[in-house]
Amino acid sequence: NMYRIYEALGDEKNREKYYTEYQKEYTQYNDVNNKGLLKAVDLILDEKKGEDRIAKERAIKFTSIASGTLLILLISLIYFYFRNKKMKKKKLKLILQKDILIKEKQKLESEKISISKKANENQFNELISLAKNNSPEFLVLFEELYPNFVKNLKEINPKIR
């Protein structure tokens, strides 16, 4: 402001002196102000870089966790798929074995019935043969083949021999 006053008064020497001082101080002020602005901009940029770095780290962590979870899920699905497939094969094998065992059981039961019939026929034929020969072993075999007959007969007539 002093250089403007001297300029208005027409004092060129003092105007020049104060104008030079004004220029010097204005330059220093601008330098200090610019340094402050640069520091503030640097701080803002550093803060922004820090936020970007944190955001990148979070994105990497999220991606890692998501990838790990998907990998575990995929492995689990594959494991359960093959386990289920294996169980189905075992189940089918057991069903086939069960069918084979049922058929063998039916075959053995029919053989048992056939053998039982033959044994009964043989015992019956032997019983007839003993009866025809009037053998004392007849009564023992008869009681063995028809255990309730003699008991029921004695109930009807207790004096029978």
Side-chain angles (χ1 to χ4, degrees), residues 116-156:
S116 177
K117 285 180 182 179
K118 287 181 182 178
N120 285 341
E121 285 178 16
N122 286 342
Q123 285 180 335
F124 184 74
N125 289 337
E126 187 178 344
L127 184 68
I128 298 292
S129 167
L130 290 174
K132 286 181 181 178
N133 293 333
N134 204 13
S135 171
E137 294 174 10
F138 169 78
L139 187 59
V140 175
L141 184 60
F142 187 82
E143 284 180 348
E144 190 178 305
L145 289 175
Y146 307 104
N148 293 330
F149 183 79
V150 174
K151 180 182 165 188
N152 291 341
L153 197 57
K154 286 189 178 188
E155 284 180 7
I156 295 170

Side-chain angles (χ1 to χ4, degrees), residues 52-68:
D52 289 346
R53 183 181 44 81
I54 290 171
K56 284 180 183 178
E57 288 175 359
R58 284 182 181 164
I60 290 171
K61 284 180 183 179
F62 175 76
T63 305
S64 298
I65 290 171
S67 298

Side-chain angles (χ1 to χ4, degrees), residues 58-110:
R58 284 182 181 164
I60 290 171
K61 284 180 183 179
F62 175 76
T63 305
S64 298
I65 290 171
S67 298
T69 303
L70 287 175
L71 182 63
I72 290 171
L73 181 64
L74 181 64
I75 289 171
S76 298
L77 287 174
I78 290 171
Y79 169 75
F80 285 116
Y81 171 76
F82 283 111
R83 183 173 159 229
N84 191 23
K85 193 174 180 180
K86 187 177 179 181
M87 294 299 259
K88 283 182 181 179
K89 282 183 182 180
K90 280 185 177 181
K91 186 177 179 181
L92 182 62
K93 188 177 179 181
L94 286 173
I95 289 172
L96 291 174
Q97 286 177 344
K98 181 181 174 185
D99 289 343
I100 290 170
L101 289 174
I102 288 172
K103 287 177 183 177
E104 285 184 27
K105 180 182 175 185
Q106 290 172 348
K107 182 180 174 184
L108 289 174
E109 284 178 355
S110 66

Side-chain angles (χ1 to χ4, degrees), residues 25-45:
E25 285 191 26
Y26 183 76
T27 306
Q28 287 176 350
Y29 170 76
N30 276 342
D31 288 346
V32 169
N33 193 24
N34 286 340
K35 285 180 186 178
L37 284 174
L38 287 175
K39 283 183 181 180
V41 168
D42 285 343
L43 285 174
I44 291 170
L45 288 175

